[in-house]
């Protein structure tokens, strides 16, 4: 039965966040048991638009989220967080009401967040499975050496960006130039896959606490995706974390054979859109679930 008590913070003012809010955003993540990831917040607040509600007690932020727009009436919502001491007071709903305008939206929902999104009219269109662990290659492939299908994986160069953007727009279904142009500075390692001089995939790893997160992972097929992950794994001693579209069952099985273990899952949801654009068969993992 709903509580008859008033919700004093449900109408708290929402403001735009800036890079000056990096530490309060990271503090909010830590409050909810998430990695602080100030680097990721820096990317999100540069390429997207952050919204927040200040704590009336002067203790940083009460709540925050980020909207990353891709043009063509599409945007992704991520990092919707409410401080533990202010949960169940209608604050998340207030923040979502502020950002859900006329644009079609997508997001990756945790199990705890999904009921709210369903109440707001979001519909389930898919699922992502997160796997984590130390990657142990099951073959002898290495950087610069052709793998199955004559694909060669190598470190990305500045001259690859145009081809990456062209491939990404085709696969993602929208222009992410404003996001991917920041990828070389954001990622610790960036790889591309080529077949006879044609770029057929790319992937990156970026730091998140004591692990390396894999994303984006764009590839023409499962073998190419595995070759990219294998190359990236050889560049780090940290465990890997990757959120794989659950429809890519073969890649998930291969990653588990190489030492990664199932950790958690998220539900892919949309608002005012029957499905996500682009070609899911080549879209294996997002840059981060916060960017869609």
């Amino acid at each position: 039965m709903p509580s008859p008590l008033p919700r004093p913070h449900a109408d708290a003012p929402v403001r735009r966040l800036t890079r000056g809010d990096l530490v309060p955003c990271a503090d909010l993540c830590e409050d909810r048991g998430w990695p602080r990831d100030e680097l990721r917040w820096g990317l999100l607040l540069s390429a997207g638009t952050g919204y927040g509600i200040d704590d009336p007690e002067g203790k940083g932020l009460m709540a925050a989220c980020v909207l990353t727009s891709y043009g063509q009436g599409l945007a992704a919502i991520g990092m919707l967080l409410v401080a533990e001491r202010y949960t169940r007071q209608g604050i998340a709903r207030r923040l979502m009401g502020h950002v859900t305008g006329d644009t079609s939206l997508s997001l990756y929902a945790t199990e705890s967040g999904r009921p709210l999104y369903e109440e707001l009219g979001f519909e389930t269109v898919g699922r992502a499975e997160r796997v984590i662990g130390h990657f142990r290659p099951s073959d002898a492939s290495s950087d610069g050496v052709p793998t199955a299908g004559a694909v060669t994986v190598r470190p990305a160069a500045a001259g690859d960006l145009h081809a990456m953007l062209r491939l990404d727009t085709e696969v993602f279904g929208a222009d992410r130039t404003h996001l991917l142009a920041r990828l070389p500075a954001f990622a610790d390692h960036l790889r591309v896959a080529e077949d006879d001089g044609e770029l057929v995939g790319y992937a990156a790893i970026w730091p998140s606490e004591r692990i390396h997160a894999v994303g984006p992972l764009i590839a023409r097929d499962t073998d190419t995706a595995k070759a990219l992950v294998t190359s990236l794994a050889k560049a780090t001693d940290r465990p890997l974390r990757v959120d794989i579209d659950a429809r890519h069952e073969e890649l998930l099985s291969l990653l588990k054979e190489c030492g990664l273990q199932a950790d958690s899952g998220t539900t892919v949801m949309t608002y005012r859109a029957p499905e996500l654009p682009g070609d899911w068969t080549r879209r294996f993992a997002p840059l981060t679930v916060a960017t869609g």
Side-chain angles (χ1 to χ4, degrees):
M1 178 177 178
S3 171
L5 297 175
R7 295 180 172 182
H9 303 298
D11 59 351
V14 178
R15 69 171 176 88
R16 294 279 288 269
L17 300 177
T18 70
R19 287 185 63 86
D21 293 300
L22 280 176
V23 172
C25 287
D27 289 344
L28 192 56
C29 283
E30 190 171 48
D31 176 78
R32 298 313 306 265
W34 290 17
R36 289 183 61 85
D37 279 356
E38 291 183 34
L39 179 69
R40 176 167 57 167
W41 274 109
L43 174 71
L44 294 172
L45 295 178
S46 296
T49 304
Y51 297 93
I53 301 175
D54 291 314
D55 188 325
E57 298 180 6
K59 299 178 181 179
L61 290 169
M62 178 193 298
C65 73
V66 177
L67 187 72
T68 306
S69 298
Y70 297 114
Q72 302 176 349
L74 175 67
I77 294 176
M79 306 302 284
L80 177 63
L81 288 162
V82 177
E84 180 68 33
R85 59 193 176 278
Y86 291 117
T87 57
R88 302 186 183 279
Q89 297 184 34
I91 297 168
R93 183 182 298 274
R94 159 72 173 152
L95 200 50
M96 286 294 294
H98 187 86
V99 302
T100 52
D102 298 328
T103 302
S104 296
L105 302 171
S106 69
L107 55 80
Y108 285 73
T110 61
E111 286 303 304
S112 61
R114 188 174 65 180
L116 170 63
Y117 302 130
E118 289 176 339
E119 290 177 14
L120 293 174
F122 282 79
E123 297 183 353
T124 297
V125 296
R127 184 166 176 80
E129 182 174 340
R130 174 169 291 184
V131 288
I132 297 178
H134 284 282
F135 183 92
R136 298 186 299 271
S138 59
D139 55 43
S141 62
S142 61
D143 292 353
V145 177
T147 62
V151 172
T152 300
V153 176
R154 60 169 175 79
D160 294 315
L161 183 58
H162 181 71
M164 286 172 52
L165 292 172
R166 184 171 61 247
L167 174 64
D168 188 82
T169 299
E170 181 181 337
V171 173
F172 188 76
D175 185 357
R176 294 199 290 179
T177 299
H178 63 302
L179 186 65
L180 299 185
R182 295 175 167 87
L183 190 57
F186 173 72
D188 278 351
H189 298 280
L190 179 60
R191 298 286 191 267
V192 295
E194 291 181 316
D195 185 354
D196 196 23
E198 178 187 1
L199 192 142
V200 294
Y202 78 93
I205 53 174
W206 47 273
S208 176
E209 287 194 328
R210 290 180 290 275
I211 70 169
H212 264 126
V214 178
L217 177 55
I218 301 292
R220 71 175 180 187
D221 51 35
T222 300
D223 287 343
T224 303
K226 185 188 177 186
L228 285 162
V229 174
T230 300
S231 177
L232 288 168
K234 292 180 179 181
T236 179
D237 294 327
R238 299 183 184 186
L240 297 183
R241 182 186 77 211
V242 55
D243 293 280
I244 299 290
D245 185 318
R247 290 172 290 189
H248 289 293
E249 297 178 359
E250 183 180 1
L251 180 61
L252 280 167
S253 295
L254 289 171
L255 293 178
K256 291 173 182 177
E257 290 173 7
C258 291
L260 276 66
Q261 298 181 349
D263 178 73
S264 60
T266 49
T267 302
V268 185
M269 308 186 79
T270 60
Y271 182 72
R272 297 198 188 96
E275 60 184 1
L276 292 174
D279 180 5
W280 75 266
T281 66
R282 292 181 287 167
R283 186 174 58 232
F284 287 83
L287 192 164
T288 161
V289 294
T291 61

